Amino acid sequence: MRGITRRALFAGSAVGAAGALLPTAGPAVAGPRKARASYRPGYHFTVPEQWKNDPQRPVWIDGSYHYYYLHNADYLAGEIGTAWRLATSTDLVSFTDRGVAVPKDTTPGGDVWSGSAVVDTHDTAGFGAGAVVVLATMSPHDGPADQAQYLYYSTDGGRTFTPHGTDPVLPNPGVRDFRDPKVIRDEERGRWVMTLAENDKVGFYHSADLKSWTYVSGFVRGGIGVLECPDLFRIRAGDGTPKWVLGVSANGKGAGLPNTYAYWTGSFDGSAFTADATDPQWLDYGWDWYGAVTFDKRGTDGTLDEATRYAIGWLNNWDYAHITPTIDSDGFNGTDSIVREITLKRGGDGRYFLASRPVATLDGYVSRTVTLGDLEVEGTRLLDYRGTAYELTCEITWDQLTGAGVQLRRSPDGVRHIDAGVHRDYAYLNRRPTVSPDMTGRWQESHSPFDPGRRAVRLRILVDRTSVEMFVDDGRYVHSSAAFPYLVDTGLALFTVEGKAVFRNTVIREFRV
C-alpha cells in the first residue's frame, strides 16, 4: 500500500469532536513531548513519533523478529512519503526501536511503499549468503501507472539497506495499481514466488535470483475494492490437513462487507492458486485492521511451527487515518493491533477457517488480575472496576434473551461507552456512544455471524486507550476498531437485553510492557 501521509487539516476535527476533555498541547512540533494526559496505548505497538501505516511482514533474523513498517518522520511538517523503520522483538510484545532501515528519497524512485523482506540463505541474488533482500513498490512520478518494484539489500542483518541500482526489478507493464510485492521461497522448486496487488487481481511471478521476474498467473476477485497487500502461505490444520491461504487487504464496505483482511483457503501448485470457494472469508470484522500481514512462528532455535502463524495489522482506516488526538497529545499517529496467533480449523460445515488469539507471550506481562467469578445480570450491572487498558474475558450463558454484552470505557454518567457482545443472530462491536474517528457516522457498529441457539458465547476483549479488539468464541470472529474515549471514561458494566444471563469466570487482566 502507498505511504500517503499528508496531515492536512484533520487533527483539529478530532479535537473538536472530543472537546476540552482531550489532552491539550502547544503547537505541533516534531518528536515526542510532554502533555497533561496521554493517549499512547499501554500494551500495543506504536510508532515512537510522527506517523506509521502499513506493517511489513516481520522476518526472523539472528534470534529475533525484525519488524519493518512504513514511517514518515516529516509528518508534522506536512511532507508526504514513507521509509521503512525497524523494530526488533523476541516475544512480539515488547519491541526495541532500531530507527530507519530503508530510507526514502535517496534514489530517483522517491519514497518507499509496501513490500516484503526475505533472508536469502542460499545467496541466489549474489549479495552474500544470509543477505536480507527487500522488494518494495516505488512510484517516481506518483502516477497511477508508475508503480514498480525495486530491490534493496542488507549485509548487516537487516539493520541498513542499500538500493540495487535505480531501475525497477519488475517494471510496470502499463497498468493501474501495481504494488505491494510479497515474496516467499518455494524450496521444492528452487525458486522465489511473488504475489502482487494489481487492482482486482493478485498476480503471481517467479524468479531464480530476486532480480528478474516472470509473470505466471493471476487470481481475480472483484466487488471488494482495490486489492492491496497480498499474502500467501501454507498452514497445517488441527486435523492435519495442509492448506494454502491467499489473503488481501480489501475494502468491502460498499458491499456490506468488512474493510480488513479477506482470505481464501485452497491449493497452490507453485504457479497458480485455486480457491476452495468463490467468496472470501474475513480475518477481522471490525473497521480498523488494515494492511495486515501474517508471518512465520519460530521457536527460540528458529524451528518453524507449521500449524501456527502470527499476524499484525494497522489499527486505522484510510477513511479517517489522520483524525486522531494522539498527534496533539503525544506527537504520534500510528498504532498496531496486538500480534495474533493464527491457526486453521475445520468448521461444522466442513469449511476451513482461520481462528485468531492474542499472542501467548502477552501472558508474561500481566501486572494485575481481578477475578470476579460468576455474575448474574438482568439489565445493566456496573462493576467496581476502573481502567483504560486491560483484557476482559468471560463466558455468557442464558436460557432466553435478546442480547448481552459489556460496556467498555463507560463515562461516569453512563452516557458514553463502547458496547461489545451479541444481539439475536450477530456479534457486534459498537463505538457509536463514544468518540469515534468516523465523522460520517456510518461505520460505527461492526457485525459477524452468531448462532443464538447455542445460548452461550465466549468473549475475550482487549481494551487499550485508543482501540478495542474483541475475540468471539476462541477467535472464530474478531472485531478491531479504533476509538478515542475521553480519558476520564474508565467505567465497566455488564448488560443484557430482554432477559437474564450469567457472566461466568469473569476475569480482568492488566499488562505492563
Side-chain angles (χ1 to χ4, degrees):
M1 181 174 20
R2 182 179 178 178
I4 302 175
T5 56
R6 187 184 300 280
R7 188 185 181 203
L9 300 175
F10 293 111
S13 299
V15 175
L21 289 177
L22 287 184
T24 58
V29 295
R33 58 260 158 98
K34 285 183 139 184
R36 290 201 299 267
S38 176
Y39 269 73
R40 190 175 288 275
Y43 59 97
H44 285 74
F45 180 87
T46 58
V47 63
E49 72 277 334
Q50 305 273 6
W51 165 275
K52 82 167 293 295
N53 55 303
D54 288 18
Q56 307 302 308
R57 183 186 61 201
V59 288
W60 180 263
I61 303 173
D62 297 332
S64 67
Y65 288 97
H66 283 49
Y67 170 44
Y68 303 95
Y69 57 90
L70 296 190
H71 165 67
N72 183 12
D74 304 311
Y75 180 63
L76 285 168
E79 300 296 328
I80 65 173
T82 50
W84 279 31
R85 190 159 179 160
L86 169 64
T88 57
S89 177
T90 57
D91 62 12
L92 298 172
V93 178
S94 176
F95 290 83
T96 300
D97 177 52
R98 303 296 184 182
V100 170
V102 184
K104 68 175 181 177
D105 300 332
T106 56
T107 76
D111 61 322
V112 189
W113 301 3
S114 280
S116 57
V118 295
V119 179
D120 188 12
T121 305
H122 305 297
D123 191 23
T124 64
F127 303 120
V132 183
V133 176
V134 161
L135 276 297
T137 303
M138 300 171 73
S139 180
H141 305 294
D142 199 22
D146 194 35
Q147 299 165 16
Q149 319 320 314
Y150 293 75
L151 187 150
Y152 286 77
Y153 66 94
S154 169
T155 57
D156 63 357
R159 294 296 181 90
T160 60
F161 286 81
T162 301
H164 174 60
T166 58
D167 294 329
V169 295
L170 180 55
N172 191 309
V175 302
R176 183 185 182 93
D177 300 316
F178 191 72
R179 57 180 180 264
D180 307 341
K182 192 69 60 63
V183 177
I184 62 173
R185 180 67 182 170
D186 184 351
E187 291 290 2
E188 180 182 347
R189 300 169 182 87
R191 64 192 178 201
W192 299 96
V193 176
M194 175 195 292
T195 54
L196 195 67
E198 304 176 24
N199 198 275
D200 65 348
K201 181 180 79 171
V202 175
F204 292 85
Y205 297 78
H206 288 165
S207 176
D209 61 5
L210 294 167
K211 298 175 181 176
S212 300
W213 293 89
T214 302
Y215 176 80
V216 292
S217 71
F219 178 86
V220 178
R221 177 59 165 94
I224 53 175
V226 174
L227 308 183
E228 297 190 287
C229 304
D231 194 18
L232 178 68
F233 60 89
R234 185 177 184 270
I235 189 170
R236 188 173 299 278
D239 63 5
T241 303
K243 283 284 183 180
W244 282 89
V245 176
L246 177 66
V248 293
S249 281
N251 185 351
K253 290 192 296 188
L257 297 169
N259 178 18
T260 58
Y261 181 107
Y263 71 91
W264 296 262
T265 61
S267 59
F268 180 65
D269 64 4
S271 297
F273 178 83
T274 303
D276 291 334
T278 301
D279 292 333
Q281 301 184 73
W282 298 82
L283 201 47
D284 198 295
Y285 282 74
W287 303 120
D288 302 306
W289 203 68
Y290 202 73
V293 293
T294 71
F295 55 104
D296 291 341
K297 180 181 180 182
R298 298 281 178 178
T300 55
D301 60 353
T303 55
L304 175 67
D305 184 342
E306 294 184 347
T308 308
R309 285 182 71 79
Y310 290 127
I312 188 171
W314 180 42
L315 266 171
N316 209 335
N317 187 302
W318 280 117
D319 287 352
Y320 40 74
H322 305 282
I323 301 178
T324 165
T326 64
I327 196 66
D328 291 310
S329 67
D330 299 271
F332 81 96
N333 182 351
T335 301
D336 286 336
S337 72
I338 204 73
V339 173
R340 301 172 183 177
E341 296 181 356
I342 306 297
T343 55
L344 183 66
K345 299 182 178 182
R346 188 175 186 179
D349 59 358
R351 190 179 189 185
Y352 287 91
F353 66 90
L354 296 175
S356 308
R357 60 178 178 260
V359 62
T361 49
L362 184 62
D363 294 344
Y365 290 85
V366 175
S367 59
R368 181 189 178 207
T369 300
V370 179
T371 302
L372 301 175
D374 298 345
L375 303 173
E376 188 172 285
V377 179
E378 185 170 11
T380 300
R381 178 169 178 173
L382 185 64
L383 302 183
D384 185 20
Y385 176 80
R386 301 288 181 271
T388 59
Y390 56 89
E391 173 199 77
L392 170 70
T393 57
C394 65
E395 181 179 19
I396 310 174
T397 62
W398 62 88
D399 289 327
Q400 185 175 359
L401 52 65
T402 300
V406 297
Q407 291 184 346
L408 310 161
R409 300 297 303 275
R410 194 175 191 266
S411 63
D413 60 6
V415 173
R416 298 182 301 275
H417 43 82
I418 301 168
D419 295 346
V422 296
H423 189 88
R424 300 190 189 278
D425 61 352
Y426 59 87
Y428 69 95
L429 179 63
N430 182 9
R431 63 188 178 185
R432 186 182 302 277
T434 192
V435 182
S436 166
D438 173 38
M439 308 305 286
T440 70
R442 298 177 62 192
W443 318 112
Q444 306 290 9
E445 182 171 295
S446 55
H447 290 180
S448 63
F450 176 72
D451 177 12
R454 294 176 44 231
R455 297 196 298 274
V457 64
R458 291 182 300 277
L459 299 180
R460 183 176 183 182
I461 305 174
L462 301 184
V463 180
D464 215 331
R465 293 188 180 94
T466 62
S467 65
V468 173
E469 297 169 89
M470 177 177 72
F471 297 78
V472 182
D473 287 333
D474 301 322
R476 174 62 179 92
Y477 300 104
V478 186
H479 296 243
S480 300
S481 289
F484 304 102
Y486 295 176
L487 295 175
V488 297
D489 292 352
T490 60
L492 176 63
L494 313 178
F495 70 88
T496 64
V497 179
E498 297 178 345
K500 181 188 299 184
V502 178
F503 289 68
R504 301 187 184 280
N505 193 25
T506 305
V507 177
I508 298 167
R509 300 197 303 175
E510 298 173 351
F511 306 101
R512 180 175 292 111
V513 177

